[in-house]
Amino acid sequence: MANKISHSCLVSKIAITLSIVSLLLCCGVFLRTDLMLNELYSRDIKLSDKMTSKHDMNDGHRFDKDHHSERTFEKQETKQTKDVFTRKVRDVTTVVNSTINDDLLSKKIHQVLGKAVASLQGGKYWIPVPGPPGSQGKPGPRGPRGRMGKSGRRGKRGPRGFPGKIGLPGSRGMAGPKGPKGDRGTSLARPTALISPTHLIVNESQSAILHCSSSGYPRPDVVWSKINGTLPRKRAVVDSWQTDIKHVTPNDSGIYQCKASNLLGSTQTTAKLQVNFHPRLTLDKRPIYRMGSNDIRLPMCYVIGHPTPKVMWSRVFGILPKGRSAMKDGQLTILKANQNDSGTYVCKAENLLGSVVGSIMVNVIDLPVFVVKPTSFYTAQRGTTAVLNCTAKGNPQPVISWRKDNGVLPVGRYEVKDGSLIIRNVKQIDSGVFVCTATSAGVSHSHENI
C-alpha cells in the first residue's frame, strides 16, 4: 500500500513538472508568434505610409504615363509580403502542433488550469488587475484632404504702382451739333480816363490816394506818373485804378498823371497833390556887433511851409523900438540904434500845423574914447628905443593894436605893452606912419602917429 502511495506521488510530481515545462514552451511559442506578427504589422504600416505619401503627392494632378507601372510595383510588393507572412504562420503552426503531439499531458493540464481560472473568474472576490500600458503605436496613414476653409480678411491696399505708358490717341469723335448764335460782342472804343480828386490836399505824414477810372475796348492799360518828378517807389502802392502814397512829405507835392491806352490810342488826365507841412526856418544865429547911431539890418529869416507861414519879429525882453524898426520880406531893420537896442531878437514862423522860432543876439557898441593919444610927430635917434603911447576906454574895455601904414612892424624889435608900442634899436627903415586902433566888441577907433 505504501508503495502505491509513493508511486502516485512521484507520478504527480512528474506530471506537474511536465505541465510547467509545457506551459513555458507554449508561452515561448506564443511570444515568438506575437513578435513575428508585430514585425509583419510594422512592415504593412510602412507600406501603407509609402502608398499614402505617393497618393498625396499626386492628389489634384493628372496621372502621367508611369502611373500604371507604379501600381504594378506596389501589387507585387504586397503579394511578396503576404507570402512571407503565410510561410511564417505555417512554420509556427507546425511547431505548435508538433509540441502538442509530443506531450498529450499538457492538454489535460490546460483543461485543469482553464477550469481553475474559470472558477476564479466566476468567484465573488475576483478582481482583474490591468497590466502595464503598452508602447505607443506608430501613426496611422494620412487621412483625405479636408474642405477648403473660409477666405480671410482682405489685406491692406498695396502702394500705388508706377503709371503705365501713355496710350495712343484715340480716333477723333464726331462733331457735335452747332450751338446757338452768341450775343453781339462789344464794339471797339477809344480809351477814356477820369482822375479824382483833381486837387488833393493832405497833411504831412498822412496817406494820399488818387483814383483813376478808365474805359474802352479793348480794356486799356493804365500807367501812373508824376510830371517833372518820379513816384516814391518805396512808399507808393500803384495799380491800374489807384495810387496810394504812404507817409507823404513836402517833396511829394506836384502834378500826377493817369494815362490810359489801347490799340485805338491813348488819353491822360492829371490831378494836383498839395502837402501841408510845418514851417521850416533858417536864420544866421551869429551875434551882431554894431556901432551906435547907425542903422542895424538883421539877417534874413528864411521860412518855408504850407500854408505859407506868417513871419514875426520880437524881443525876448522888451518891445521893438517904436518908430525905429521896420520889417520887409522877413528881415528886420533897426534905425539909429543905441545901446538900449541891444538884446536877443526872435523870428517866429507860424501856420495851421504849428510854429517855429529862431533867435539872434544884437550888441550896440559906442566908439572907444582915447584917453592918451599918440603924438602927431615923434623923433628918435638911431640905435635908441622909441615908445609910442596910446590908451582908450569903452564898454566893453577896448583892445589896443598897432600897425604901420604901407609897411610892417619891425620883426623881433617891437612889442605892445599896456597899449604902448615899443621899438628897440631904431633904424632908418622904421620911419613912417604908425596907427593906434582901439577895438571894443567889434567896433574900432583909430589914431595916427607920424
Side-chain angles (χ1 to χ4, degrees):
M1 186 71 180
N3 293 331
K4 288 182 180 181
I5 292 173
S6 61
H7 182 265
S8 63
C9 290
L10 179 61
V11 172
S12 297
K13 291 180 180 180
I14 293 172
I16 292 171
T17 302
L18 292 176
S19 298
I20 293 173
V21 172
S22 299
L23 182 60
L24 292 175
L25 290 175
C26 290
C27 290
V29 171
F30 284 121
L31 181 60
R32 180 181 177 188
T33 303
D34 184 52
L35 291 176
M36 293 174 65
L37 290 175
N38 287 336
E39 182 180 357
L40 293 176
Y41 177 75
S42 63
R43 289 185 181 181
D44 186 38
I45 291 299
K46 290 181 180 179
L47 181 60
S48 299
D49 292 342
K50 185 174 183 181
M51 292 173 65
T52 304
S53 62
K54 289 182 179 180
H55 176 71
D56 292 338
M57 291 175 61
N58 296 326
D59 187 18
H61 300 281
R62 293 184 176 181
F63 292 101
D64 55 9
K65 294 181 180 181
D66 296 336
H67 182 69
H68 181 71
S69 60
E70 290 180 359
R71 293 189 61 184
T72 304
F73 176 77
E74 292 174 359
K75 288 181 179 181
Q76 292 177 359
E77 187 175 0
T78 304
K79 185 177 180 181
Q80 291 178 1
T81 304
K82 287 181 178 180
D83 293 342
V84 172
F85 178 74
T86 304
R87 191 182 307 116
K88 290 194 175 185
V89 169
R90 191 187 308 116
D91 293 340
V92 171
T93 304
T94 304
V95 172
V96 172
N97 292 333
S98 60
T99 304
I100 293 174
N101 293 329
D102 292 341
D103 194 1
L104 296 176
L105 185 60
S106 62
K107 184 177 180 180
K108 186 177 180 179
I109 295 173
H110 281 290
Q111 292 176 357
V112 174
L113 292 176
K115 291 179 181 181
V117 171
S119 62
L120 289 174
Q121 289 179 350
K124 183 177 181 181
Y125 300 102
W126 169 259
I127 300 175
V129 178
S135 58
Q136 185 176 356
K138 295 185 178 180
R142 179 180 293 181
R145 181 184 293 271
R147 294 181 181 180
M148 183 180 292
K150 296 182 180 180
S151 299
R153 294 183 180 178
R154 187 173 182 179
K156 294 182 180 179
R157 188 172 183 177
R160 188 186 182 98
F162 294 104
K165 296 182 179 179
I166 299 175
L168 298 175
S171 59
R172 186 173 183 178
M174 298 177 61
K178 189 175 182 180
K181 187 176 181 179
D183 297 333
R184 185 174 181 179
T186 307
S187 301
L188 297 177
R190 293 179 61 85
T192 60
L194 177 64
I195 194 170
S196 64
T198 57
H199 188 193
L200 179 62
I201 300 176
V202 295
N203 294 335
E204 186 178 14
S205 299
Q206 294 182 349
S207 295
I209 301 177
L210 297 173
H211 298 274
C212 182
S213 301
S214 62
S215 62
Y217 190 81
R219 185 175 182 178
D221 295 327
V222 177
V223 178
W224 286 89
S225 61
K226 182 180 180 182
I227 298 177
N228 298 327
T230 58
L231 294 174
R233 298 298 180 185
K234 294 183 178 180
R235 295 182 291 107
V237 180
V238 181
D239 54 33
S240 61
W241 61 281
Q242 78 171 16
T243 293
D244 185 0
I245 303 176
K246 310 289 186 181
H247 306 291
V248 294
T249 65
N251 294 331
D252 295 329
S253 298
I255 305 299
Y256 289 81
Q257 176 178 274
C258 171
K259 181 177 181 181
S261 59
N262 64 9
L263 56 87
L264 297 182
S266 63
T267 184
Q268 57 270 347
T269 181
T270 59
K272 182 179 180 180
L273 173 62
Q274 182 63 57
V275 179
N276 292 336
F277 60 95
H278 291 73
R280 270 84 161 166
L281 184 147
T282 303
L283 178 66
D284 187 358
K285 297 181 180 181
R286 291 178 297 179
I288 296 176
Y289 296 95
R290 295 291 184 270
M291 190 171 56
S293 301
N294 293 330
D295 295 343
I296 301 176
R297 188 183 298 272
L298 274 65
M300 179 68 72
C301 186
Y302 296 98
V303 177
I304 58 174
H306 195 275
T308 302
K310 182 180 179 181
V311 179
M312 297 173 292
W313 280 94
S314 62
R315 292 184 66 176
V316 174
F317 301 104
I319 59 176
L320 295 176
K322 293 182 179 181
R324 294 187 300 107
S325 61
M327 188 175 63
K328 183 179 180 181
D329 298 332
Q331 189 173 27
L332 176 66
T333 302
I334 301 175
L335 305 174
K336 296 181 181 181
N338 55 48
Q339 284 191 341
N340 293 330
D341 297 330
S342 298
T344 302
Y345 289 77
V346 177
C347 175
K348 181 179 181 180
E350 183 178 10
N351 67 4
L352 296 177
L353 301 181
S355 62
V356 64
V357 296
S359 61
I360 185 172
M361 185 68 183
V362 176
N363 297 286
V364 180
I365 307 298
D366 290 334
L367 283 174
V369 178
F370 286 102
V371 178
V372 177
K373 296 182 180 180
T375 59
S376 300
F377 188 81
Y378 186 84
T379 303
Q381 298 293 328
R382 293 180 182 179
T384 62
T385 299
V387 178
L388 303 176
N389 296 318
C390 182
T391 306
K393 66 177 181 178
N395 186 20
Q397 179 63 35
V399 177
I400 303 299
S401 62
W402 288 88
R403 63 183 178 83
K404 183 180 180 182
D405 249 359
N406 299 323
V408 294
L409 296 175
V411 178
R413 294 187 295 113
Y414 83 95
E415 67 174 332
V416 178
K417 186 176 181 181
D418 296 331
S420 299
L421 175 63
I422 301 173
I423 301 175
R424 299 181 183 86
N425 191 17
V426 177
K427 297 181 180 180
Q428 183 66 35
I429 59 174
D430 295 333
S431 300
V433 177
F434 290 84
V435 180
C436 174
T437 302
T439 304
S440 178
V443 177
S444 60
H445 189 199
S446 302
H447 191 278
E448 298 181 353
N449 185 315
I450 301 177

